[in-house]
Amino acid sequence: LVHEKKIVIPKIQRDYVQGSNAQQEKRDEFLNVLLEHLSSGTEYHLDFIYGTGGVDQGEFLPLDGQQRLTTIFLIHWVLSQRAGIHNLKVEDYFSYQTRRSSELFCQKLIKERIDLNSFKDGQTISAYIKKEAAWYLKQWDTDPTVQAMLEMIDATDSALMNYKGYWPKMCENTLSLLTFDCLNMKDFHLSDSLYVKMNERGKQLTSFENWK
């Protein structure tokens, strides 16, 4: 998907929660599965996502799959920092627009480099960003999406300590070995109103609603 168009997480989406410590067990299980496949060089299929857009438009707006796509973006970012690969233009294929503060955080995260060699013993990436990074804004302390992203970054960085020596290849593999079945809703004459109706309660979708 990323080789064809830019992924834009639209404003209609809710907060990112998959990386939150509140869902640590599920998060870590999912993270470990992804890292195992990235390190072994085997493809991993992440099921189905749907959205709107096309190659001719240059963008794909996922209406389902935001959580998984955001997690992959964060894993890719951490790997790029650990591998010292800073020529990857993530902004060319991923944009986060759920709310202005979250969008700005992602832009800064992509633009600014983190010097991991300057870390003190036991210091986490999130602690460094919050206390040492001049670009970090205090308002992000109350942004649930940003906080969940920082927690996902720390979880990923901690898990990567088991894969030293594999980081450069794993960074490349995030763009080639993690795959989806993608449904363009425009092809079925559907719109994002379907997503709005299914999510207007602010509750997690049932298995039947996901099937629909």
Side-chain angles (χ1 to χ4, degrees):
L1 187 63
V2 298
H3 297 297
E4 297 178 351
K5 59 183 76 71
K6 184 174 184 176
I7 296 172
V8 178
I9 307 298
K11 294 179 180 179
I12 195 175
Q13 293 284 5
R14 294 177 290 180
D15 290 316
Y16 172 66
V17 297
Q18 192 172 59
S20 171
N21 287 340
Q23 300 194 29
Q24 181 176 355
E25 185 175 350
K26 290 183 178 179
R27 177 197 68 196
D28 292 349
E29 181 180 357
F30 182 52
L31 174 60
N32 288 330
V33 168
L34 294 182
L35 295 183
E36 283 292 332
H37 281 271
L38 294 178
S39 62
S40 63
T42 55
E43 184 176 291
Y44 185 71
H45 192 67
L46 290 105
D47 299 322
F48 177 82
I49 60 172
Y50 66 86
T52 59
V55 176
D56 57 329
Q57 297 172 285
E59 293 183 347
F60 179 78
L61 280 68
L63 301 178
D64 173 70
Q66 169 214 4
Q67 303 292 324
R68 288 166 289 162
L69 289 168
T70 304
T71 292
I72 292 172
F73 157 66
L74 295 170
I75 292 173
H76 181 72
W77 181 85
V78 176
L79 279 165
S80 70
Q81 300 300 311
R82 279 295 176 188
I85 303 175
H86 300 296
N87 60 343
L88 299 174
K89 296 185 178 181
V90 186
E91 67 271 21
D92 289 345
Y93 60 81
F94 188 88
S95 177
Y96 210 88
Q97 298 182 2
T98 55
R99 63 177 62 167
R100 179 55 186 159
S101 61
S102 304
E103 179 184 11
L104 180 60
F105 175 78
C106 288
Q107 289 174 348
K108 289 292 185 180
L109 198 64
I110 292 168
K111 181 179 179 181
E112 306 293 340
R113 298 182 183 181
I114 304 295
D115 182 9
L116 300 178
N117 294 323
S118 67
F119 279 23
K120 302 174 184 177
D121 290 342
Q123 186 176 24
T124 62
I125 293 180
S126 67
Y128 175 86
I129 290 176
K130 288 183 176 182
K131 295 180 180 180
E132 307 293 338
W135 52 267
Y136 185 81
L137 303 178
K138 194 66 178 175
Q139 70 187 64
W140 287 330
D141 287 344
T142 57
D143 186 321
T145 290
V146 172
Q147 294 310 304
M149 286 182 171
L150 288 171
E151 289 167 0
M152 185 67 208
I153 286 172
D154 284 345
T156 300
D157 193 49
S158 177
L160 283 178
M161 294 303 105
N162 297 322
Y163 299 92
K164 291 183 179 179
Y166 293 89
W167 295 336
K169 191 61 179 179
M170 290 172 72
C171 186
E172 295 178 14
N173 287 344
T174 54
L175 304 182
S176 58
L177 296 182
L178 303 180
T179 63
F180 296 87
D181 285 325
C182 181
L183 171 65
N184 192 328
M185 293 172 63
K186 296 295 186 182
D187 297 337
F188 292 84
H189 307 290
L190 300 172
S191 70
D192 54 13
S193 62
L194 173 66
Y195 180 88
V196 173
K197 291 176 181 177
M198 294 170 69
N199 283 271
E200 62 186 359
R201 300 164 301 168
K203 298 180 179 180
Q204 186 172 354
L205 301 185
T206 66
S207 58
F208 180 65
E209 287 170 332
N210 276 317
W211 177 80
K212 287 194 292 185

